[in-house]
Amino acid sequence: MHFRIPNGVNVVMGHTRMATLGAARLNRNNHPWATPGFALAHNGVLWNDRILREVEELPYTLIETDSYIAVQLLEKQNPLSLQTIQEMAEKVQGSFVFTILDKQDNVYFVHGDNPLAIFCYDGFYLYASTKMILDQTEKRLGLRHGGEITTREGDILRIERHGKCLFSGFRVTNHHTRRGCVFSGWDELEENEE
């Protein structure tokens, strides 16, 4: 992928998507989604998006992905804040890391049970699903990071435009669906797998 960052741009948000729901050839299904208040990308799979659309009485959309439910929940709770992000994260079920960029160029990382790696540089950050991806990117670009920011499941990290970091969190429910069964936590998964 080749891209050019125009002068004066402070934040760039991108996403490469493995299509699980919604045809990737239809751009409306591809992340990040931009709204008047924020942009959002999701890494993972959500299982209760259809139920939430009904329960929350969200409007019909042509977007076919499970991920878009996060955008709709945040738009409904307008304006975007740590509180509304927390409420959204506690409603969705599945695997996720959400990345949200607000109008003031603050970036939020909402860390569910998917992997997340964030490297710090002098004045900027790079993030990806894994350190291996970032290591390969550094090698290709000739970069060397000065540090890492570590987050864990249940964390909400806000990196403000000028680099200040603020941690918040959400209640982790660990309800996952697999092969039509609902279970809580990974201990139960290991028992069921045997």
Side-chain angles (χ1 to χ4, degrees):
M1 177 183 343
H2 299 280
F3 61 93
R4 185 180 62 81
I5 301 172
N7 290 335
V9 171
N10 296 315
V11 180
V12 175
M13 181 181 193
H15 187 268
T16 55
R17 177 176 174 246
M18 182 181 88
T20 55
L21 281 173
R25 64 178 161 59
L26 299 174
N27 196 45
R28 68 178 177 243
N29 292 323
N30 298 322
H31 317 198
W33 289 290
T35 74
F38 61 91
L40 180 142
H42 167 229
N43 179 21
V45 178
L46 302 177
W47 296 298
N48 67 336
D49 57 305
R50 290 185 179 129
I51 293 168
L52 283 173
R53 278 194 186 90
E54 290 177 28
V55 171
E56 297 289 330
E57 299 178 350
L58 299 173
Y60 173 78
T61 177
L62 292 174
I63 297 171
E64 302 163 327
T65 70
D66 54 316
S67 306
Y68 194 68
I69 192 71
V71 172
Q72 289 184 299
L73 289 170
L74 290 171
E75 285 181 319
K76 181 179 180 180
Q77 299 176 46
N78 193 28
L80 183 73
S81 68
L82 285 169
Q83 179 67 33
T84 59
I85 293 170
Q86 173 191 344
E87 291 172 15
M88 176 275 295
E90 291 177 352
K91 288 180 182 179
V92 298
Q93 293 178 2
S95 62
F96 62 86
V97 167
F98 293 106
T99 309
I100 305 165
L101 172 64
D102 71 16
K103 291 190 309 186
Q104 291 77 39
D105 291 338
N106 300 308
V107 179
Y108 300 81
F109 296 94
V110 185
H111 194 162
D113 66 349
N114 267 18
L116 174 63
I118 306 169
F119 283 1
C120 309
Y121 301 85
D122 186 27
F124 70 98
Y125 302 87
L126 288 178
Y127 67 95
S129 298
T130 65
K131 289 181 182 181
M132 184 180 79
I133 294 169
L134 291 179
D135 288 339
Q136 292 170 348
T137 302
E138 280 189 326
K139 186 175 180 179
R140 185 171 180 187
L141 297 176
L143 297 173
R144 185 179 184 119
H145 66 279
E148 299 176 29
I149 298 178
T150 302
T151 60
R152 65 183 199 280
E153 185 177 10
D155 282 347
I156 300 172
L157 167 64
R158 180 175 73 192
I159 302 177
E160 295 179 351
R161 179 181 185 161
H162 300 291
K164 180 180 175 185
C165 295
L166 173 67
F167 278 88
S168 185
F170 64 94
R171 183 177 37 85
V172 177
T173 57
N174 282 339
H175 289 289
H176 304 279
T177 303
R178 187 167 185 197
R179 288 183 250 168
C181 301
V182 176
F183 59 92
S184 300
W186 293 110
D187 293 336
E188 194 170 323
L189 171 65
E190 290 168 6
E191 291 172 16
N192 289 341
E193 292 284 317
E194 294 176 356

